[in-house]
Amino acid sequence: MEKFKLNNGVEIPAIALGVFRIEDQKITYETVKSALELGYRHIDTAMIYGNEEAVGKAVKDSGIPRREIFVTTKLWNDDQRSGKVEGAIDASLNRLGLDYVDLYLVHWPVKEHYVEVWKRMEKVYKEGKAKAIGVSNYNPHHLDDLLKTAEIVPAVNQIECYPYLAQQPVIDYCQAKGIRPEAWGPLGAGKTDVLGNQLIEHIAGKYGKTSAQVVLRWNLQRGVIVIPKSVHRERQAQNLNITDFELTPEELKQITSLDKNLRLGSDPDNFDF
Ligand SMILES: NC(=O)c1ccc[n+]([C@@H]2O[C@H](COP(=O)([O-])OP(=O)(O)OC[C@H]3O[C@@H](n4cnc5c(N)ncnc54)[C@H](OP(=O)(O)O)[C@@H]3O)[C@@H](O)[C@H]2O)c1
């Protein structure tokens, strides 16, 4: 499993299983169990996904030593507004059945709260409840605000990122600041025809890979962690099997140039939840 090093020295597996929109606890459990059997060592959940309990149980039942599995969860917006960050991480740990997470992310930059919240995230980190702390859906201007008073630079910024939303400026910004970018919705979340794009299909054919594997590989080669979600074992296997081929610099550029700023999720500068 390929790993990246975060800015505090913690190693993060470059490919994770995402578990958004798997509300059914039994399906979450089976999905995570299957992924761990296949070799995944990084699971991306969140309080708001409502499935931390099943994730934790699958991690425990896998028999794989805890230190070998990287677990990410996230601080939801209401807990930022109420200022109950310590309570939120404790509740997540309780549901997961863990005494620490590997990465704790602020899920969205909630206006008027995200700078103050970072101070509390730093406390969570210092108390050892998270081995690394980071953010999600932050644009450079949010990070600029946060970095003015931050003692700890976020280790990760998890953003929506797939070929039609290539996010090169945000990635460049993060990399310049030592913040590791991480792509959510890396396959286009099943909402676009990106996997049927002619260029991507052509490149996939050249390497005997699928379009999904090509778009994941593109992000990996840009230094971006990918967290594809699938409840299907064969797709999970496919999404993990992306380290045995290498896109050329020209192909990377061609895929990046498919960018049309097409956001499928919410806009970090304009959301109402
Ligand atoms: N930080 C945030 O705000 C945020 C927001 C959204 C998501 N996330 C995280 O990012 C993860 C991934 O994003 P996502 O779930 O929205 O979208 P995604 O991973 O881009 O796409 C998932 C969709 O693609 C399908 N799929 C998976 N592998 C495939 C393959 N090899 N070939 C064809 N189709 C495939 C899945 O179907 P099946 O499951 O039926 O196979 C599902 O419909 C989430 O699970 C979550 O952990 C974070």
Side-chain angles (χ1 to χ4, degrees), residues 18-166:
V19 295
F20 183 35
R21 290 201 192 89
I22 320 180
E23 282 98 15
D24 184 284
Q25 298 291 319
K26 191 162 177 292
I27 297 177
T28 305
Y29 177 81
E30 294 301 336
T31 300
V32 174
K33 200 161 160 268
S34 156
L36 292 171
E37 282 164 12
L38 288 168
Y40 282 80
R41 289 295 178 269
H42 178 178
I43 311 293
D44 183 89
T45 185
M47 174 272 172
I48 201 69
Y49 302 168
N51 56 20
E52 288 174 311
E53 214 167 323
V55 168
K57 186 163 165 32
V59 165
K60 194 169 179 204
D61 291 355
S62 71
I64 299 164
R66 169 68 187 94
R67 64 177 181 284
E68 290 176 23
I69 303 180
F70 194 102
V71 178
T72 299
T73 195
K74 311 185 191 88
L75 173 72
W76 188 239
N77 301 348
D78 294 341
D79 294 315
Q80 291 188 57
R81 293 187 184 101
S82 67
K84 291 185 181 147
V85 178
E86 287 88 349
I89 179 74
D90 288 346
S92 279
L93 290 174
N94 191 34
R95 284 186 294 270
L96 286 160
L98 301 175
D99 49 19
Y100 69 92
V101 286
D102 296 275
L103 179 62
Y104 196 44
L105 299 177
V106 184
H107 210 143
W108 287 86
V110 174
K111 262 189 201 152
E112 284 150 32
H113 292 281
Y114 64 87
V115 172
E116 171 57 27
V117 156
W118 190 249
K119 289 279 133 215
R120 294 170 188 263
M121 291 290 286
E122 289 175 335
K123 191 161 172 267
V124 166
Y125 176 72
K126 286 178 192 163
E127 286 173 352
K129 293 177 180 173
K131 300 283 179 205
I133 49 172
V135 296
S136 176
N137 299 302
Y138 279 44
N139 281 328
H141 74 89
H142 298 116
L143 287 161
D144 280 341
D145 289 346
L146 187 154
L147 290 172
K148 276 181 204 148
T149 53
E151 210 180 301
I152 299 168
V153 175
V156 165
N157 185 17
Q158 184 181 113
I159 51 172
E160 184 184 350
C161 181
Y162 73 108
Y164 294 162
L165 182 69

Side-chain angles (χ1 to χ4, degrees), residues 144-260:
D144 280 341
D145 289 346
L146 187 154
L147 290 172
K148 276 181 204 148
T149 53
E151 210 180 301
I152 299 168
V153 175
V156 165
N157 185 17
Q158 184 181 113
I159 51 172
E160 184 184 350
C161 181
Y162 73 108
Y164 294 162
L165 182 69
Q167 298 269 33
Q168 199 60 54
V170 184
I171 290 170
D172 290 344
Y173 173 98
C174 288
Q175 286 174 340
K177 303 279 184 193
I179 301 167
R180 177 66 63 176
E182 182 174 54
W184 68 256
L187 302 171
K191 294 182 187 169
T192 61
D193 63 350
V194 69
L195 300 181
N197 178 278
Q198 220 181 345
L199 169 75
I200 292 170
E201 281 191 334
H202 173 77
I203 295 172
K206 173 179 160 189
Y207 293 102
K209 290 282 174 182
T210 65
S211 293
Q213 289 171 316
V214 167
V215 303
L216 295 173
R217 180 74 206 171
W218 161 75
N219 255 329
L220 215 58
Q221 279 185 232
R222 299 196 300 164
V224 179
I225 302 158
V226 289
I227 55 173
K229 168 259 174 188
S230 180
V231 294
H232 296 105
R233 193 176 172 91
E234 66 283 5
R235 284 180 171 174
Q236 292 177 354
Q238 200 189 106
N239 298 343
L240 194 60
N241 181 18
I242 56 169
T243 52
D244 62 349
F245 72 112
E246 178 128 2
L247 301 169
T248 65
E250 185 54 30
E251 287 163 344
L252 292 177
K253 250 194 244 159
Q254 286 173 334
I255 298 174
T256 306
S257 71
L258 294 175
D259 185 22
K260 44 186 171 183

